[in-house]
Amino acid sequence: MKTNTFITLSTATANIGVLVGLVFLIFELRQNSAIALSQIRQERTLSIISQATSDARDTDFNELKLRLNLNGDFDSITAEEWNQIRDYEIARSVRHEDVFFQYKRGLIDESAFSFSLQMAASRLSLWKWLNIGDPNPEFAAAINEHINKDGFKQSNFAAVFNEWAADKESPNSGLGSAKIFE
């Protein structure tokens, strides 16, 4: 066998080996991505379950959330309870912003993102009223874009709250928060 033939065959074999290695690398990266997405989804689910279980054990706070979310009995909520709700809603806004962050980086699926965006849009008027600052301007823009889409339907909670809050001052109006969701 001539030297040129040997060199050509070994170069071709090496190139085939590199291609096979790349195929396996791509397959492994896709598999790792699927595993990472699954882990993120599981962590979110466990976090939500943990919060719901904790809220269920606290009967007073659970009753407060029912008055707020289901009954729309906003007048029965005291200033101290509004502060409790504000803390709870800050945590909620941060969780929705985290979903937005992860979605933008391809770490969360479209369905979780859409659901989170719809939930944030339904809470936006409450967040404004409670003077909750904007954690991320891109997130605020995404919420506003979602609200301005054709076919957007305001949630029952948002409609009832907006009507009630139209002539009410927030107990948190003097907090002087940074930029508020627009």
Side-chain angles (χ1 to χ4, degrees):
M1 189 185 309
K2 293 185 179 180
T3 306
N4 283 343
T5 307
F6 178 74
I7 291 173
T8 305
L9 283 175
S10 37
T11 302
T13 304
N15 288 340
I16 290 172
V18 168
L19 284 174
V20 169
L22 284 174
V23 168
F24 281 119
L25 179 64
I26 290 169
F27 177 73
E28 189 174 332
L29 286 173
R30 285 187 179 169
Q31 196 173 29
N32 287 343
S33 177
I35 290 169
L37 286 171
S38 176
Q39 287 174 334
I40 289 168
R41 183 72 181 227
Q42 184 177 21
E43 286 297 319
R44 284 187 70 248
T45 302
L46 290 174
S47 170
I48 291 168
I49 289 169
S50 175
Q51 179 186 350
T53 330
S54 173
D55 290 350
R57 283 190 294 258
D58 184 346
T59 54
D60 291 337
F61 187 67
N62 200 30
E63 186 269 332
L64 173 60
K65 282 182 18 182
L66 286 173
R67 281 188 285 146
L68 175 76
N69 294 317
L70 294 180
N71 302 338
D73 189 9
F74 308 116
D75 288 321
S76 71
I77 300 174
T78 67
E80 182 179 298
E81 289 172 328
W82 277 119
N83 288 329
Q84 248 185 311
I85 290 168
R86 183 175 192 275
D87 290 343
Y88 178 79
E89 291 296 329
I90 287 171
R92 179 181 265 191
S93 74
V94 170
R95 182 174 41 211
H96 290 304
E97 192 277 334
D98 182 59
V99 171
F100 171 78
F101 174 84
Q102 290 184 37
Y103 175 76
K104 292 299 260 185
R105 280 144 189 84
L107 299 172
I108 224 161
D109 60 11
E110 178 78 29
S111 63
F113 171 68
S114 295
F115 178 76
S116 182
L117 203 54
Q118 179 62 34
M119 292 298 293
S122 76
R123 306 310 273 190
L124 186 58
S125 56
L126 176 63
W127 294 347
K128 285 180 183 180
W129 190 77
L130 289 172
N131 204 30
I132 295 174
D134 178 1
N136 178 334
E138 290 180 36
F139 177 51
I143 294 171
N144 287 323
E145 182 180 321
H146 179 75
I147 289 171
N148 292 323
K149 280 184 181 175
D150 288 340
F152 171 75
K153 187 175 185 310
Q154 187 179 45
S155 70
N156 260 358
F157 170 82
V160 170
F161 180 78
N162 288 341
E163 185 177 322
W164 175 83
D167 62 346
K168 306 282 193 279
E169 184 175 333
S170 168
N172 306 105
S173 59
L175 289 178
S177 179
K179 182 180 176 190
I180 300 297
F181 289 98
E182 296 178 19

